[in-house]
Amino acid sequence: SGSPRAGARRGAAEEAGALWERARAALRERVGAGSFQSWIAPLRLAGIEGGVARLEAPTAFLGSYAARSFGEEILAALR
């Protein structure tokens, strides 16, 4: 069922998803429930490639604010 490459991609995607879920849990504790719900919960991990995590936000404003206000916390949680 699928090529070995597809399986590897699926495994990497699952690993990235698990990393993002762990990061989200740490961020909820670090920034508080209110800030988490407003600014971090809407973010989606679009992928990790070459050690770079790409997050997507529903709006440019939310993405810009989250990066500016919580960027360091997000990076720390992903390490």
Side-chain angles (χ1 to χ4, degrees):
S1 87
S3 71
R5 187 176 296 158
R9 276 196 306 269
R10 193 168 37 255
E14 289 170 2
E15 187 176 316
L19 171 64
W20 181 233
E21 287 308 310
R22 286 191 304 272
R24 285 169 50 92
L27 286 162
R28 181 185 299 272
E29 293 295 317
R30 199 170 288 165
V31 306
S35 291
F36 177 86
Q37 275 308 121
S38 296
W39 303 108
I40 296 171
L43 301 176
R44 186 180 81 78
L45 180 65
I48 299 176
E49 198 169 317
V52 176
R54 194 175 83 249
L55 300 176
E56 292 180 345
T59 67
F61 175 78
L62 190 142
S64 176
Y65 185 87
R68 191 172 56 250
S69 301
F70 302 106
E72 291 301 315
E73 288 91 346
I74 292 169
L75 286 173
L78 287 168
R79 290 192 178 113

